[in-house]
Short mmCIF file of all heavy atoms in Angstrom, two decimals:
data_model
loop_
_atom_site.label_atom_id
_atom_site.label_comp_id
_atom_site.label_asym_id
_atom_site.label_seq_id
_atom_site.Cartn_x
_atom_site.Cartn_y
_atom_site.Cartn_z
N GLU B 61 10.09 23.04 -11.12
CA GLU B 61 10.46 22.11 -10.05
C GLU B 61 10.94 20.79 -10.67
O GLU B 61 11.93 20.21 -10.23
CB GLU B 61 9.27 21.82 -9.13
CG GLU B 61 8.67 23.04 -8.44
CD GLU B 61 9.50 23.53 -7.26
OE1 GLU B 61 10.47 22.86 -6.89
OE2 GLU B 61 9.16 24.61 -6.73
N GLU B 68 20.75 18.68 -10.76
CA GLU B 68 21.24 18.14 -9.49
C GLU B 68 21.23 16.61 -9.50
O GLU B 68 22.11 15.98 -8.92
CB GLU B 68 20.39 18.67 -8.34
CG GLU B 68 20.60 20.15 -8.12
CD GLU B 68 19.79 20.69 -6.97
OE1 GLU B 68 18.54 20.66 -7.05
OE2 GLU B 68 20.39 21.15 -5.99
N LYS B 87 16.81 16.25 -1.32
CA LYS B 87 16.45 17.55 -1.91
C LYS B 87 15.78 17.35 -3.27
O LYS B 87 14.72 17.91 -3.54
CB LYS B 87 17.69 18.43 -2.07
CG LYS B 87 17.37 19.75 -2.75
CD LYS B 87 18.63 20.55 -3.05
CE LYS B 87 18.29 21.95 -3.52
NZ LYS B 87 17.63 22.00 -4.82
N ASP B 90 12.38 16.10 -2.86
CA ASP B 90 11.48 17.19 -2.48
C ASP B 90 11.01 17.96 -3.72
O ASP B 90 9.85 18.32 -3.83
CB ASP B 90 12.21 18.20 -1.57
CG ASP B 90 12.16 17.81 -0.09
OD1 ASP B 90 11.50 16.82 0.25
OD2 ASP B 90 12.79 18.53 0.71
N GLU B 91 11.95 18.25 -4.62
CA GLU B 91 11.59 19.05 -5.81
C GLU B 91 10.53 18.31 -6.64
O GLU B 91 9.62 18.93 -7.17
CB GLU B 91 12.82 19.36 -6.68
CG GLU B 91 13.99 20.04 -5.95
CD GLU B 91 13.69 21.39 -5.30
OE1 GLU B 91 12.52 21.81 -5.29
OE2 GLU B 91 14.64 22.01 -4.78
N HIS B 94 7.39 18.98 -4.96
CA HIS B 94 6.93 20.36 -5.23
C HIS B 94 6.23 20.42 -6.58
O HIS B 94 5.20 21.08 -6.73
CB HIS B 94 8.11 21.34 -5.21
CG HIS B 94 8.77 21.43 -3.88
ND1 HIS B 94 9.91 22.15 -3.65
CD2 HIS B 94 8.46 20.85 -2.69
CE1 HIS B 94 10.27 22.04 -2.38
NE2 HIS B 94 9.40 21.24 -1.78
N GLY B 141 21.96 25.27 -4.38
CA GLY B 141 21.18 25.29 -3.14
C GLY B 141 21.14 26.68 -2.52
O GLY B 141 20.07 27.19 -2.16
N VAL B 144 20.17 29.50 -6.09
CA VAL B 144 18.97 29.21 -6.89
C VAL B 144 17.77 28.92 -5.97
O VAL B 144 16.70 29.50 -6.12
CB VAL B 144 19.22 28.05 -7.87
CG1 VAL B 144 17.96 27.70 -8.63
CG2 VAL B 144 20.35 28.43 -8.84
N ASP B 145 17.98 28.07 -4.98
CA ASP B 145 16.90 27.83 -4.03
C ASP B 145 16.65 29.09 -3.20
O ASP B 145 15.51 29.43 -2.87
CB ASP B 145 17.19 26.64 -3.11
CG ASP B 145 17.05 25.31 -3.86
OD1 ASP B 145 17.95 24.99 -4.64
OD2 ASP B 145 16.03 24.63 -3.68
N GLY B 146 17.72 29.82 -2.89
CA GLY B 146 17.57 31.06 -2.13
C GLY B 146 16.69 32.06 -2.87
O GLY B 146 15.79 32.68 -2.28
N ALA B 148 14.55 31.31 -5.25
CA ALA B 148 13.21 30.73 -5.34
C ALA B 148 12.44 30.95 -4.04
O ALA B 148 11.25 31.25 -4.05
CB ALA B 148 13.30 29.24 -5.66
N ILE B 149 13.15 30.84 -2.91
CA ILE B 149 12.49 31.02 -1.61
C ILE B 149 11.92 32.43 -1.47
O ILE B 149 10.79 32.62 -1.02
CB ILE B 149 13.47 30.69 -0.45
CG1 ILE B 149 13.73 29.18 -0.40
CG2 ILE B 149 12.92 31.18 0.89
CD1 ILE B 149 14.87 28.76 0.52
N GLN B 152 8.81 32.43 -3.32
CA GLN B 152 7.81 31.50 -2.79
C GLN B 152 7.24 31.97 -1.45
O GLN B 152 6.07 31.74 -1.16
CB GLN B 152 8.40 30.10 -2.70
CG GLN B 152 8.66 29.55 -4.09
CD GLN B 152 9.33 28.19 -4.17
OE1 GLN B 152 9.18 27.50 -5.14
NE2 GLN B 152 10.09 27.83 -3.15
N ILE B 170 5.50 23.99 0.38
CA ILE B 170 6.81 24.03 -0.25
C ILE B 170 7.81 24.81 0.60
O ILE B 170 8.96 24.38 0.81
CB ILE B 170 6.69 24.62 -1.68
CG1 ILE B 170 6.07 23.58 -2.61
CG2 ILE B 170 8.05 25.08 -2.20
CD1 ILE B 170 5.73 24.08 -4.00
N GLU B 173 9.59 23.08 3.26
CA GLU B 173 10.63 22.12 2.87
C GLU B 173 11.88 22.79 2.32
O GLU B 173 12.94 22.18 2.28
CB GLU B 173 10.04 21.15 1.83
CG GLU B 173 8.82 20.43 2.35
CD GLU B 173 8.30 19.36 1.41
OE1 GLU B 173 8.77 19.27 0.25
OE2 GLU B 173 7.44 18.59 1.83
N GLU B 174 11.72 24.06 1.87
CA GLU B 174 12.82 24.69 1.12
C GLU B 174 14.04 25.04 1.96
O GLU B 174 15.15 25.03 1.45
CB GLU B 174 12.34 25.95 0.41
CG GLU B 174 11.58 25.71 -0.89
CD GLU B 174 12.44 25.13 -2.00
OE1 GLU B 174 13.67 25.10 -1.87
OE2 GLU B 174 11.85 24.69 -2.99
N SER B 175 13.83 25.38 3.22
CA SER B 175 14.96 26.02 3.90
C SER B 175 16.12 25.04 4.06
O SER B 175 17.28 25.43 4.05
CB SER B 175 14.53 26.66 5.20
OG SER B 175 14.56 25.73 6.24
N HIS B 177 17.02 23.04 1.79
CA HIS B 177 17.71 23.06 0.49
C HIS B 177 18.80 24.12 0.47
O HIS B 177 19.91 23.90 0.02
CB HIS B 177 16.71 23.34 -0.64
CG HIS B 177 15.65 22.30 -0.76
ND1 HIS B 177 14.67 22.36 -1.70
CD2 HIS B 177 15.42 21.17 -0.05
CE1 HIS B 177 13.86 21.31 -1.57
NE2 HIS B 177 14.30 20.58 -0.57
N GLN B 178 18.43 25.31 0.95
CA GLN B 178 19.41 26.39 0.92
C GLN B 178 20.54 26.13 1.91
O GLN B 178 21.71 26.34 1.60
CB GLN B 178 18.72 27.73 1.21
CG GLN B 178 19.61 28.89 0.80
CD GLN B 178 19.01 30.24 1.16
OE1 GLN B 178 18.13 30.36 1.99
NE2 GLN B 178 19.52 31.28 0.51
FE1 LIG C 280 14.31 23.62 -3.46
#
Side-chain angles (χ1 to χ4, degrees):
Chain B
E61 301 283 353
E68 291 181 297
K87 177 187 190 293
D90 274 356
E91 306 300 6
H94 297 174
V144 176
D145 287 76
I149 289 169
Q152 293 176 155
I170 285 173
E173 302 186 350
E174 281 293 348
S175 86
H177 298 180
Q178 196 183 19

